[in-house]
């Protein structure tokens, strides 16, 4: 199965503009074969303003943008899309809107192009390879067959909904989607904007690390990739490669207890 995903931790990096830090990777990802990108602005309340921001930026990279919220039939817009970009914002608002418009299954079909759709997560095998202490460089998995799908890009909340569930988002549940189960394009969860513990901080709330470990105290929870700001994951077929300059952390759960990969 030749899936292609670009899962970005954040849309804006300190000191730069919207998508500026990843514009080179975006251009390489969509390439010249994609002329129009379907943008999904559901994570923010001002969908028109958000679409203009994305449209203006992607136009500088040579892409025209259609927004799903402007389409008379959002499902048909997804079916005809050459590429999909789901922007960041509130993950709960985003996932609820995707379900409200019946887009979760349609996006999954377009990206994965699965010919036999059954519980493929049961058959997945996850292998991790590292080149530095707690940094994830490559994830490989195996799934039943399929065909090439359309390229999918997500940033922040858009990366969250590409995973198994939105349980490891940083956002407040300002609305309630019918389920926390997400699109399921990869067999793990993501925590975007991952922050390392600051030993000098006087903040007494849980650290990001502690919250993810708490998540893994629950049974049957998938691995969690903590994407630091400035990092992104490129998925091509059964290979995922970490891009950017800030690396990532991988959290796993084994034998009934959480395990922090160090």
């Amino acid at each position: 199965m030749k899936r292609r995903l670009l899962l970005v931790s954040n849309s804006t990096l300190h000191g730069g503009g919207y998508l500026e830090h990843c514009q080179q990777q975006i251009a390489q990802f969509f390439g010249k074969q994609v002329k129009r990108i379907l943008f999904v602005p559901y994570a923010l309340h001002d969908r028109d303003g958000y679409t203009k921001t994305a449209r203006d930026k992607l136009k500088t990279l040579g892409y025209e943008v259609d927004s799903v919220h402007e389409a008379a039939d959002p499902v048909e817009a997804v079916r005809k899309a050459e590429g999909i970009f789901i922007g960041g914002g509130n993950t709960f608002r985003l996932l609820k809107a995707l379900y409200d418009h019946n887009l979760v299954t349609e996006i999954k079909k377009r990206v994965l192009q699965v010919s036999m759709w059954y519980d493929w997560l049961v058959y997945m095998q996850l292998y991790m390879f590292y080149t530095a202490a707690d940094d994830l460089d490559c994830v490989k998995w195996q799934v039943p067959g399929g065909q090439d799908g359309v390229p999918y890009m997500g940033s922040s909340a858009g990366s969250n909904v590409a995973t198994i569930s939105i349980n490891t988002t940083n956002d407040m549940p300002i609305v309630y989607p019918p389920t926390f189960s997400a699109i399921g394009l990869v067999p793990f969860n993501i925590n975007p904007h991952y922050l390392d513990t600051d030993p000098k901080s006087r903040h007494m709330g849980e650290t990001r690390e502690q919250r993810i470990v708490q998540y893994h105290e629950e049974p049957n929870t998938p691995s969690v990739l903590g994407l630091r700001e400035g990092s992104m994951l490129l998925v091509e077929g059964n290979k995922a490669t970490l891009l950017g300059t800030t690396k990532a952390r991988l959290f796993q759960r084994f034998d009934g207890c959480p395990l922090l990969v160090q």
Side-chain angles (χ1 to χ4, degrees), residues 172-231:
M172 292 184 178
I174 59 174
V175 296
Y176 190 67
T179 175
F180 290 166
S181 296
I183 303 174
L185 304 178
V186 291
F188 50 86
N189 274 6
I190 285 178
N191 177 248
H193 307 274
Y194 180 78
L195 287 173
D196 293 288
T197 303
D198 181 1
K200 298 181 181 179
S201 175
R202 296 184 178 182
H203 177 67
M204 297 303 294
E206 294 104 332
T207 64
R208 196 68 59 81
E209 176 182 309
Q210 288 172 328
R211 289 181 175 179
I212 296 174
V213 168
Q214 289 172 356
Y215 172 66
H216 278 152
E217 289 171 351
E218 297 300 317
N220 303 316
T221 45
S223 300
V224 178
L225 180 63
L227 279 179
R228 299 180 177 100
E229 292 197 348
S231 66

